[in-house]
Amino acid sequence: MVDPHSIVVKRGLILLTIVAAGCQQGLISPSQRPSPTPSALSRCPAGSPAPAGPQILLSNLPAPDDLAFDRDGRLLFGDINAGTVSAMGIDGSAQPIAGGLRVPEGIVVLGNGQILVAEQGRNRIVAIDPASHAASQWRAFPNRTGQEGIDGIGPELSSVAAAPGGVIVPDSPNGVVWRVSLDGKTATQIGNGMTRPVGAAVDQHGRIFVADEGGAVWTLDPVRRRFATLPTPDDVVVGRAGHIFVNTLGDDAIHEFDAQGHQVSVMSGVNQPQGIALDGADNLYYTETARGRIARVVRSFTLDPPKVTRTTRGTFIICPVIRRAAGFQDALSLVTGSSPTTAMLQLLQPGTDSSGALEVQTPEHSVTIFVAGGSLLNLSQVVSLP
């Protein structure tokens, strides 16, 4: 699971700053060094419409479980049979990050990039360094109940203005919820009286949601209140517009609620949806553990691998590939992250029938592009340069 709001806010601030500075068609150069005179840039065609309904992204996995997104926008997933945490690359491949874990369950990525994983088989949380991929114990929890260990973890509260700092940890076997400091050393109990809390999320107002396998989704604000009654909830996430998504094992479904608890939609026929996540554009990702696969439902827009051309002048023309969901006609904006070594020479914004285009000059081996819709939806993509 993942707390999307910190990522959205940070990227939104980057986008607003650049767009306000005049990031439109024409010459934009954040560096002071001379740049070659560019030829006229043409808009890239829009990608084909996004598929309606579920799209299988990875298959033939042993037993994929919980999901989260890292700071580069990669989808992380744990596999409880393989004992691994992996990342899905832009080409759809699975890239291992850590192994030797005993039943890795919940995943959360902290603001510093550190990856926390709930290791159910050892009833502890391990921290994975994003660079070295080394794993170390972050915090262990006692379990004298004879039941399965800790199941979920997250999100980080430090970036939510209305909430205190730390990480939310549902203590599954003991039926309580903790707020743990970012170093894992101090734990404060913030909820109790639950059957088996297994997942948590927080909205932009600091309201904490807890999925309880006993048949409820609770809110802690701070008093525990029943938000919804569902058959074996397993995880919960909050979207950009404040909608709440819950995957349920009792009826093999994913339920969507508005902020007041009214059910908006139900996606049925999902075989053991153990994991659920939303990307920066509110597209829905989920695992089907029994079928060994990970799927996605595009709700707004998504990005396919871009096309990159190196010009004779030594610059790079990047052609994004934006795929829109049926009925999604919102205006989108395109921009790159700021860098002292990268000059953006030309930029054409996307339209409903195009993906925009940009030309950059840089000595780097990659650049990051951002595509945003309004103030809520935002996707980033790391573009490798030839």
Side-chain angles (χ1 to χ4, degrees):
M1 81 203 70
V2 62
D3 173 21
H5 300 293
S6 61
I7 299 175
V8 171
V9 170
K10 292 175 183 177
R11 290 177 182 169
L13 289 173
I14 293 173
L15 285 164
L16 288 173
T17 301
I18 298 176
V19 171
C23 198
Q24 300 172 353
Q25 178 178 348
L27 180 64
I28 299 179
S29 177
S31 69
Q32 298 302 313
R33 54 189 169 83
S35 299
T37 301
S39 303
L41 194 62
S42 299
R43 283 184 174 83
C44 306
S48 58
Q55 174 191 13
I56 305 302
L57 301 178
L58 286 173
S59 58
N60 299 318
L61 302 171
D65 201 273
D66 280 347
L67 303 170
F69 283 93
D70 69 6
R71 295 195 303 173
D72 293 326
R74 298 183 305 169
L75 180 67
L76 307 180
F77 63 94
D79 193 299
I80 57 177
N81 284 357
T84 57
V85 172
S86 303
M88 190 180 74
I90 190 173
D91 59 353
S93 63
Q95 304 163 354
I97 291 179
L101 303 175
R102 188 179 299 174
V103 193
E105 287 279 355
I107 306 173
V108 67
V109 179
L110 302 183
N112 61 6
Q114 191 177 48
I115 303 167
L116 300 184
V117 180
E119 194 178 11
Q120 187 177 90
R122 295 186 173 100
N123 206 53
R124 65 175 187 170
I125 296 173
V126 296
I128 301 173
D129 183 270
S132 68
H133 295 177
S136 59
Q137 180 168 294
W138 185 75
R139 187 177 182 89
F141 293 83
N143 180 10
R144 303 179 184 88
T145 66
Q147 301 179 34
E148 291 182 334
I150 190 169
D151 198 299
I153 180 177
E156 180 183 357
L157 296 176
S158 303
S159 59
V160 181
V167 178
I168 298 300
V169 179
D171 188 344
S172 307
N174 294 301
V176 300
V177 177
W178 304 93
R179 185 179 72 247
V180 183
S181 59
L182 293 181
D183 59 8
K185 294 181 179 179
T186 305
T188 303
Q189 185 175 305
I190 60 172
N192 57 20
M194 304 175 200
T195 302
R196 183 174 170 82
V198 291
V202 62
D203 66 12
Q204 59 184 340
H205 304 295
R207 185 171 52 159
I208 297 170
F209 297 83
V210 180
D212 184 349
E213 284 187 346
V217 175
W218 306 100
T219 59
L220 306 177
D221 53 354
V223 178
R224 177 172 63 89
R225 296 185 178 88
R226 183 179 294 266
F227 178 77
T229 299
L230 293 167
T232 320
D234 187 70
D235 207 348
V236 55
V237 293
V238 179
R240 308 303 172 277
H243 282 203
I244 294 90
F245 297 79
V246 185
N247 52 327
T248 48
L249 302 178
D251 59 354
D252 285 337
I254 298 174
H255 300 256
E256 178 185 1
F257 296 87
D258 66 17
Q260 290 72 45
H262 303 119
Q263 186 157 279
V264 175
S265 68
V266 180
M267 187 170 71
S268 302
V270 186
N271 194 306
Q272 290 294 286
Q274 296 277 354
I276 184 174
L278 295 167
D279 66 15
D282 260 358
N283 299 312
L284 176 67
Y285 296 72
Y286 61 91
T287 59
E288 290 186 292
T289 303
R291 289 175 176 159
R293 63 191 192 183
I294 299 174
R296 173 181 67 187
V297 176
V298 179
R299 295 162 45 83
S300 57
F301 69 94
T302 189
L303 303 177
D304 276 4
K307 300 175 182 177
V308 183
T309 304
R310 186 185 182 102
T311 71
T312 57
R313 303 182 305 279
T315 65
F316 300 93
I317 295 176
I318 300 173
C319 240
V321 180
I322 300 173
R323 303 181 67 186
R324 292 173 175 262
F328 181 79
Q329 298 294 320
D330 291 12
L332 298 176
S333 60
L334 168 67
V335 74
T336 64
S338 60
S339 167
T341 61
T342 300
M344 183 156 56
L345 305 179
Q346 295 187 89
L347 174 65
L348 297 176
Q349 294 295 348
T352 56
D353 58 350
S354 69
S355 294
L358 58 105
E359 182 178 8
V360 299
Q361 182 183 34
T362 181
E364 306 295 334
H365 298 295
S366 66
V367 296
T368 301
I369 63 173
F370 299 89
V371 178
S375 61
L376 295 176
L377 306 181
N378 182 281
L379 288 180
S380 67
Q381 189 176 63
V382 178
V383 180
S384 298
L385 302 175

